[in-house]
Amino acid sequence: MRESAQNCGLHHPARRGGALGVCGGDGSVNAAARAAARHGLALAVFPGGTVNHFALDVGVPDFDDTAVAVARGEAVAVDLGVAAPKEGHEVLFLNTFSIGLYPELVRLRERLEGRWGKWPAAAVALARHLRTATPVELRLDGRPRRLWLLFAGNGHYVPDGFAPAFRPRLDDGLIDLRLIDGDRRYARTRVVAAALAGTLGRSRVYSAAAVPRVRLEGLSGTRNLAYDGEVGSAPDQLTLAKRGRGLVVYRPAVPCAEPARRVRLAIAMARHRKRKRGRRLPADGGPSV
């Protein structure tokens, strides 16, 4: 996260109206984050789950980091993802939004990655699920699309492809949009072959873009729609956008685990640079280039 975000002047956030503490994994943290944002409270995250993606990304991988930040009154402001239907209440998401195979893909990948590593596990999981999957039909910024999968991250994830590891920043104001196209000839075969070969990021069936917002329409028949991995019902239309720096989270100015975090970032960025980025998807819905 940028130095400007680390020194955002939010000293002793509790004085600004209170704070909410949560101990658990991503599911518990996501629920607490939504409540904290709704009530204008700062959030203190004590990682206690099997998977703690947000805690790792924000820089509090251990209890000690959060305890130090609370004691010193040090905090950062992070973005929130917003899924706003045309009618009804908006839904906030802390990490990811997805349509299609992504939730099932992640669950299978996490079962396999202990033996094979994250990228090979993701490739095998994608290949298995695509055997019986049906593309989702929708309109993306007004353009009709048939997609195997749509992934939208609250902030840019590295590396590219469908094994995103973490976010270097949580205040970039962008939606990390990644798509697998189901409308091209032999799309299923091409996706599986590219996934197994580790070249999905260069495949013509894969595209990616970092955009401030995107409009999704024609979702009423969509079954696999998930916010932070929690499956939900789909309205006919949704706009994905950002609430810039909409949540205050306790984090020490210099996390106890900062050296390890910097090593992790360097490794991920090195892998990220080695892969060519997928074809870009323009924010205005024009043709890809």
Side-chain angles (χ1 to χ4, degrees):
M1 198 174 301
R2 292 185 311 174
E3 189 67 23
S4 60
Q6 295 176 3
N7 298 306
C8 59
L10 297 168
H11 301 297
H12 294 285
R15 296 176 184 171
R16 300 168 62 91
L20 176 63
V22 57
C23 177
D26 282 321
S28 299
V29 172
N30 293 340
R34 293 168 188 166
R38 186 166 59 250
H39 296 287
L41 303 175
L43 184 67
V45 178
F46 295 90
T50 304
V51 181
N52 303 294
H53 292 302
F54 179 75
L56 290 170
D57 290 350
V58 80
V60 288
D62 301 308
F63 270 45
D64 289 347
D65 293 287
T66 305
V68 167
V70 171
R72 294 177 179 173
E74 297 172 346
V76 295
V78 303
D79 294 347
L80 290 168
V82 180
K86 188 174 182 179
E87 298 179 356
H89 299 291
E90 65 184 22
V91 176
L92 302 178
F93 60 98
L94 197 58
N95 297 318
T96 63
F97 168 92
S98 64
I99 294 175
L101 304 174
Y102 191 71
E104 291 82 5
L105 189 156
V106 170
R107 282 190 282 271
L108 179 57
R109 186 202 73 203
E110 289 176 346
R111 290 203 301 269
L112 299 176
E113 66 183 21
R115 288 182 294 165
W116 298 347
K118 193 167 189 176
W119 178 255
V124 172
L126 182 60
R128 287 186 183 180
H129 280 298
L130 281 176
R131 291 175 187 171
T132 57
T134 301
V136 175
E137 296 187 5
L138 51 80
R139 293 188 302 280
L140 181 69
D141 282 337
R143 292 179 63 203
R145 300 295 301 267
R146 295 180 76 243
L147 303 173
W148 293 112
L149 188 151
L150 180 150
F151 167 93
N154 176 27
H156 180 65
Y157 279 81
V158 295
D160 284 341
F162 281 90
F166 74 109
R167 291 160 289 182
R169 287 180 51 186
L170 298 181
D171 63 345
D172 61 9
L174 297 172
I175 296 289
D176 185 353
L177 189 64
R178 306 183 186 194
L179 311 175
I180 294 183
D181 191 358
D183 206 27
R184 289 181 176 274
R185 191 178 184 185
Y186 306 122
R188 190 196 308 260
T189 302
R190 294 168 72 174
V191 170
V192 171
L196 293 175
T199 58
L200 184 59
R202 299 193 295 273
S203 172
R204 293 180 66 83
V205 297
Y206 169 79
S207 53
V211 298
R213 65 177 58 240
V214 62
R215 188 175 76 258
L216 308 174
E217 299 171 288
L219 299 175
S220 55
T222 302
R223 292 177 295 176
N224 295 329
L225 183 153
Y227 307 88
D228 288 329
E230 299 177 8
V231 177
S233 59
D236 183 66
Q237 178 178 320
L238 274 176
T239 298
L240 303 181
K242 298 292 289 285
R243 183 178 296 176
R245 305 180 73 182
L247 177 67
V248 175
V249 182
Y250 281 103
R251 179 210 155 156
V254 181
C256 303
E258 182 64 15
R261 182 178 181 274
R262 289 184 180 276
V263 170
R264 182 166 164 255
L265 174 60
I267 292 172
M269 291 302 292
R271 292 173 178 169
H272 172 64
R273 293 190 188 101
K274 286 181 181 179
R275 296 192 181 99
K276 294 180 181 178
R277 298 189 65 85
R279 295 187 309 140
R280 285 301 192 177
L281 233 171
D284 62 2
S288 300
V289 295

